[in-house]
Amino acid sequence: MSDPNGLLAGQTAIVTGASSGIGAGCAVALAEAGAAVLVNYHSDKEGADAVVAKCEAAGGRALAFQADVASEDDIAGMFAAAVEAFGAVDILVSNAGMQMDASFTDLTKADWDRVIAVNLTGAFLAMQAAVRQFRAQGMRTSRALGKIIVMSSVHDVIPWAGHANYAASKGGLSMLMKTAAQELGQEKIRVNAVSPGAIATAINKEVWSDPAQAEALKKLIPYGRIGDAKDIAEAVVYLASDAADYVTGSTLVVDGGMELYPEFRDNG
Ligand code: BGC
């Protein structure tokens, strides 16, 4: 249930790419922690409406809103809608992301451009709009002027053959996050990243739904299980809350140990 005394009571969040997967999990967890949530979606209205219903079932307020994060106009409309519905924006979870995989020389410029546009430029545009909104509304209920969490990936440090556009976007996102944190800290704006490992969502369904591939994937995870959206959502709620008031410019890696070079357990 949405907790009136919860970590995020009285606050408002925008979650991009929240109609399914990690974004949907984050939206529901933020609502459970007491925040009003704008559930952004690109094309899956039904999915977004279902997430809104879950936020409301948790006792929270929520609103589905269509926007392409790669469009500056759409981003402006989304922030205006959140302010109109909830009065302010305290938390941005820049989560929208996609994969368009191909081997290095088969990767088309169109697929390179689209992944960079959504995963990296989309995050930049949403972060910029969030900072402007934080400044305009001034200090509210939290110790920070505003909180931004970007959804990165273990592939902001682990190179990934066949996914050059995706890995480049996440590496760029990591530096974008740190640079924004350095620049905005003195205004009491906190900017952090969560780096999920293998989380069972639509983006990697082909892998986890096939028993042989799922077993091979688990060999890359010391903790021995594929993650779920809730694993990531808990980390996001923490970073959005005053419990993390002294945390900025950090990447919280939530990957069951995927970044620990598991192939070196019995090698090297
Ligand atoms: C990707 C998933 C992949 C995981 C671990 C994520 O960033 O989107 O497809 O399973 O990284 O490799």
Side-chain angles (χ1 to χ4, degrees):
M1 287 304 283
S2 179
D3 183 351
N5 305 311
L7 278 176
L8 304 176
Q11 300 192 44
T12 294
I14 289 180
V15 185
T16 66
S19 55
S20 70
I22 290 175
C26 291
V28 174
L30 290 163
E32 284 170 353
V37 184
L38 183 145
V39 176
N40 160 252
Y41 66 99
H42 178 255
S43 36
D44 182 7
K45 182 176 185 318
E46 242 174 68
D49 287 342
V51 173
V52 166
K54 279 192 190 167
C55 293
E56 288 172 348
R61 289 194 297 158
L63 167 76
F65 191 87
Q66 196 284 330
D68 179 350
V69 294
S71 155
E72 210 168 355
D73 288 346
D74 282 16
I75 293 277
M78 177 172 75
F79 274 78
V83 172
E84 196 189 323
F86 306 129
V89 177
D90 306 290
I91 299 156
L92 167 68
V93 182
S94 176
N95 164 79
M98 66 192 300
Q99 285 180 218
M100 297 182 92
D101 310 330
S103 71
F104 200 75
T105 47
D106 285 342
L107 183 55
T108 62
K109 180 169 182 296
D111 286 359
W112 169 270
D113 285 346
R114 186 67 191 147
V115 168
I116 297 293
V118 172
N119 296 12
L120 184 55
T121 310
F124 164 66
L125 293 173
M127 290 164 74
Q128 207 176 43
V131 170
R132 291 183 179 135
Q133 179 58 34
F134 298 157
R135 285 177 181 156
Q137 69 200 20
M139 287 303 274
R140 284 172 27 88
T141 55
S142 131
R143 291 182 72 184
L145 185 72
K147 286 81 57 110
I148 296 173
I149 296 111
V150 301
M151 202 54 67
S152 190
S153 163
V154 289
H155 299 297
D156 62 8
V157 293
I158 302 178
W160 201 15
H163 305 77
N165 48 358
Y166 183 82
S169 75
K170 296 299 184 179
L173 193 54
S174 177
M175 266 327 258
L176 173 66
M177 177 280 289
K178 289 182 195 172
T179 300
Q182 187 196 61
E183 187 165 337
L184 302 167
Q186 59 203 350
E187 292 181 66
K188 296 191 82 62
I189 295 171
R190 295 192 297 105
V191 190
N192 291 289
V194 174
S195 278
I199 307 301
T201 68
I203 210 168
N204 53 4
K205 184 159 191 237
E206 234 179 87
V207 179
W208 57 260
S209 61
D210 174 74
Q213 289 191 67
E215 271 321 298
L217 178 59
K218 277 193 221 158
K219 293 211 165 73
L220 296 178
I221 309 169
Y223 203 60
R225 70 169 171 89
I226 295 171
D228 56 41
K230 202 169 188 323
D231 292 315
I232 305 305
E234 308 271 17
V236 165
V237 169
Y238 162 69
L239 286 173
S241 77
D242 279 353
D245 188 55
Y246 206 50
V247 182
T248 193
S250 284
T251 298
L252 184 43
V253 180
V254 185
D255 70 345
M258 201 174 217
E259 280 191 16
L260 301 174
Y261 300 97
E263 47 296 30
F264 276 77
R265 257 180 319 208
D266 48 16
N267 208 339

